[in-house]
Amino acid sequence: MAGRPATPNTAWVPAESRPLLGLAEVNQLLGIDSRLILLYGGNSTQVQQHTVLEVFNPDTQRWEVQDALNNLYYVDTTNQQRAAIERMVFGPLDT
């Protein structure tokens, strides 16, 4: 169908994270840049996974993590602004 993005293959997305694909598609249709971030952790006997949506905020010109599955967002305590995933994962990038 013209004007609509192709439906991506979602087999790689964990079932509990698939609702975020819908949000990402709505963002795309609205012209809002966003991306799914799949986070993994755990130990030698169990792998844990969580997915968040990172959205580009045109007002601040920054990427911001939106945890739609838990209805929250993250704040960078060094500057009190909404956090981007690279800062959350790697810490300060200017050192």
Side-chain angles (χ1 to χ4, degrees):
M1 180 162 55
R4 186 164 191 265
T7 303
N9 178 352
T10 61
W12 59 271
V13 179
E16 63 273 7
S17 301
R18 290 196 181 132
L20 292 178
L21 284 173
L23 287 175
E25 185 174 335
V26 168
N27 285 341
Q28 183 180 17
L29 292 171
L30 294 172
I32 299 169
D33 291 327
S34 64
R35 51 194 176 201
L36 287 180
I37 308 292
L38 281 69
L39 305 169
Y40 291 92
N43 55 39
S44 62
T45 61
Q46 183 180 9
V47 174
Q48 297 175 337
Q49 184 276 329
H50 185 64
T51 305
V52 295
L53 191 64
E54 192 169 46
V55 179
F56 186 75
N57 183 335
D59 294 334
T60 63
Q61 293 293 298
R62 296 172 37 102
W63 287 95
E64 301 173 355
V65 176
Q66 311 294 322
D67 189 341
L69 297 174
N70 291 316
N71 194 29
L72 56 90
Y73 59 88
Y74 300 93
V75 175
D76 184 334
T77 58
T78 64
N79 59 18
Q80 302 307 310
Q81 294 182 356
R82 291 189 181 195
I85 196 68
E86 78 270 0
R87 177 94 172 171
M88 292 173 61
V89 172
F90 300 112
L93 300 176
D94 56 352
T95 59

